[in-house]
Amino acid sequence: MPENEQKINPLKWIFIKSIFYFIIFEFGSSVTINTFIWIFKYESKFWLLFYYAFYSTLIIYILMIIALYTSKLIFHYLYFLFFVFVAWFYHNTGGFIGLYLLNNIIMPLPYQLNLLIYILFGTGLSLICIYTDNNPKIDRIKLKCENLKGNINIVQLSDLHLGGSYGKESVEMYIKLILNIKEKIDFVVVTGDLVDGNIRVTEEILEPFNLIKCPIYYITGNHEDLTWKDEFINMIENKTNLIHLPNNLVTIDKRINLIGIDYKKNLELIRAQLKNLINKANNDLPNIFIHHIPIFKPDTLPDFNLFLFLCGHTHGGKAFPFTLIKFFLGRWLTIIIEGLYIFKNKHFVYCCAGTGTSGPISRCFVGANIGFITIEGN
């Protein structure tokens, strides 16, 4: 093993990184059972149910650990089902709060109606989330650029989180959607979180990318920092057709500059690297910057002579009620969360809502997206 390769302990991922979801699973199962008890007017022993929920959750985790070492396929499905259940319990908790307020503030309802509302709320939202997570849409954006010759079409993928709930079949679906785009695609960008935590991704999972014949430029996200990063980057650079831009600039067709910087916690370092790259560029051409985190608002782009900034990371707010918070923060306070943000119609930020997702399967009222950005020039 090379000296700089990170040694990954899957047990650490199972027991430490996922402890938050463990708590949601345990709390959610207890709330779900207690809600049924409350609806049927039986006596509830809430804390006792926590005790039993702990063991049921622990059994699932043990099965996941065994599968992690024995069968990647079984682990993939267990992981997916686990996070479906986490989302279901999450929605059921919201359903319990809604039923309690409905029965105590407006009017008491018959137990049959309470039961029906509760099942429809938890199960209905969960089914919507599963469908939304696995049916990404093409988000078409059109921009105008005065100093661009001709038009350029860019496809953006972000936050695929491969290895957990998403495998090769998901990549095949994304690539099929891209290949079905009728317009010519000049290049594709993958703006980070290609992998999900410490779960290993094989070359086979990334194989469908080979069907794309235009350049595919890639930068890392925060989840790559949680994984076997050196080995993964080596695989990207030597065994796939993805072009890694860790801290680099490429001029495409002598018409546009594309700048990529990998995820870093140090924002000042990112700014310094970006300015250094732009100083070396032909600034008669428009500059496009790709980075995982939405670190720049559109009104700061003129300071770096950037025409367009492409990012991801936020998953568009992802889960209800955070999608509502996203709407108010994004539209009123111009906090970059999802979609297109504009400054003086000359500088643009596009934040992809995410092609995949991590954690619970809980996309509610925010779609999984593949960005398709058309830049119209002279």
Side-chain angles (χ1 to χ4, degrees):
M1 178 183 293
E3 291 183 3
N4 60 346
E5 182 179 330
Q6 297 179 8
K7 296 180 180 179
I8 296 304
N9 181 0
L11 297 179
K12 181 179 179 181
W13 173 77
I14 291 292
F15 286 115
I16 298 177
K17 182 172 173 288
S18 296
I19 192 67
F20 176 66
Y21 301 121
F22 187 102
I23 294 170
I24 292 179
F25 197 105
E26 184 177 343
F27 180 80
S29 59
S30 298
V31 169
T32 299
I33 296 169
N34 269 278
T35 306
F36 280 98
I37 290 173
W38 168 67
I39 288 173
F40 286 101
K41 311 298 181 184
Y42 295 132
E43 182 181 354
S44 172
K45 296 181 180 179
F46 193 82
W47 294 107
L48 183 61
L49 289 173
F50 264 102
Y51 175 79
Y52 291 113
F54 172 82
Y55 286 104
S56 63
T57 309
L58 187 61
I59 289 170
I60 293 174
Y61 268 71
I62 291 172
L63 290 174
M64 288 174 70
I65 292 169
I66 295 171
L68 191 62
Y69 283 104
T70 57
S71 171
K72 296 282 181 64
L73 184 63
I74 294 175
F75 174 80
H76 170 67
Y77 286 115
L78 281 175
Y79 186 95
F80 176 77
L81 288 173
F82 172 70
F83 282 123
V84 166
F85 277 116
V86 169
W88 189 66
F89 288 141
Y90 170 78
H91 297 138
N92 282 336
T93 302
F96 168 75
I97 295 170
L99 283 182
Y100 184 84
L101 294 175
L102 187 64
N103 281 268
N104 287 275
I105 295 178
I106 299 178
M107 59 178 289
L109 299 175
Y111 78 88
Q112 298 96 331
L113 186 56
N114 276 322
L115 185 63
L116 179 63
I117 292 172
Y118 185 66
I119 292 174
L120 288 177
F121 189 90
T123 305
L125 281 182
S126 297
L127 290 175
I128 289 171
C129 291
I130 293 171
Y131 176 82
T132 305
D133 263 69
N134 289 278
N135 287 275
K137 306 299 180 186
I138 304 294
D139 188 17
R140 289 179 172 266
I141 302 293
K142 282 191 176 182
L143 310 175
K144 290 187 179 293
C145 182
E146 295 177 355
N147 57 335
L148 174 67
K149 295 179 181 179
N151 295 348
I152 281 184
N153 293 319
I154 307 167
V155 166
Q156 181 187 5
L157 299 170
S158 191
D159 300 270
L160 277 72
H161 290 279
L162 300 176
S165 296
Y166 303 90
K168 184 178 180 180
E169 68 280 3
S170 297
V171 183
E172 290 172 338
M173 175 181 62
Y174 304 147
I175 301 306
K176 183 178 179 180
L177 285 170
I178 293 171
L179 295 177
N180 284 339
I181 294 174
K182 294 180 180 180
E183 297 90 339
K184 176 194 172 186
I185 300 169
D186 291 278
F187 61 93
V188 175
V189 296
V190 182
T191 51
D193 281 4
L194 184 57
V195 293
D196 193 24
N198 287 344
I199 308 171
R200 286 179 178 267
V201 172
T202 63
E203 182 184 344
E204 181 186 4
I205 292 177
L206 301 174
E207 189 178 326
F209 278 107
N210 293 328
L211 296 174
I212 297 178
K213 301 308 177 184
C214 65
I216 307 172
Y217 298 99
Y218 162 73
I219 50 94
T220 65
N222 58 301
H223 270 252
E224 278 87 348
D225 273 8
L226 301 173
T227 190
W228 37 292
K229 186 174 182 179
D230 294 329
E231 183 183 336
F232 177 70
I233 293 300
N234 182 64
M235 181 180 71
I236 288 288
E237 293 179 344
N238 296 292
K239 296 185 179 181
T240 74
N241 64 334
L242 278 69
I243 303 167
H244 183 211
L245 287 180
N247 176 23
N248 207 349
L249 178 148
V250 292
T251 299
I252 298 173
D253 295 334
K254 299 181 180 180
R255 293 193 295 156
I256 202 160
N257 297 322
L258 179 67
I259 304 159
I261 295 180
D262 277 348
Y263 167 79
K264 298 177 182 66
K265 293 181 180 179
N266 189 332
L267 181 57
E268 292 305 315
L269 177 59
I270 295 171
R271 290 176 182 271
Q273 289 177 335
L274 180 57
K275 284 189 174 182
N276 182 54
L277 290 168
I278 289 176
N279 287 338
K280 296 177 181 178
N282 176 2
N283 281 278
D284 291 331
L285 305 179
N287 295 314
I288 298 177
F289 176 46
I290 59 172
H291 185 68
H292 182 60
I293 307 286
I295 55 176
F296 294 132
K297 291 185 178 181
D299 59 353
T300 63
L301 298 188
D303 299 337
F304 295 88
N305 194 24
L306 291 175
F307 166 73
L308 174 63
F309 172 35
L310 299 175
C311 56
H313 180 64
T314 63
H315 296 214
K318 187 177 176 179
F320 181 83
F322 302 110
T323 44
L324 292 179
I325 298 171
K326 168 208 72 177
F327 178 81
F328 292 116
L329 291 179
R331 299 306 163 197
W332 291 357
L333 302 179
T334 323
I335 294 176
I336 307 299
I337 298 178
E338 177 204 2
L340 182 67
Y341 299 79
I342 303 170
F343 179 67
K344 293 185 176 180
N345 214 30
K346 290 185 178 181
H347 305 276
F348 306 90
V349 174
Y350 178 70
C351 183
C352 180
T355 311
T357 190
S358 65
I361 309 301
S362 57
R363 278 190 181 272
C364 245
F365 312 116
V366 55
N369 281 347
I370 294 174
F372 182 71
I373 302 100
T374 297
I375 305 175
E376 297 177 343
N378 296 320

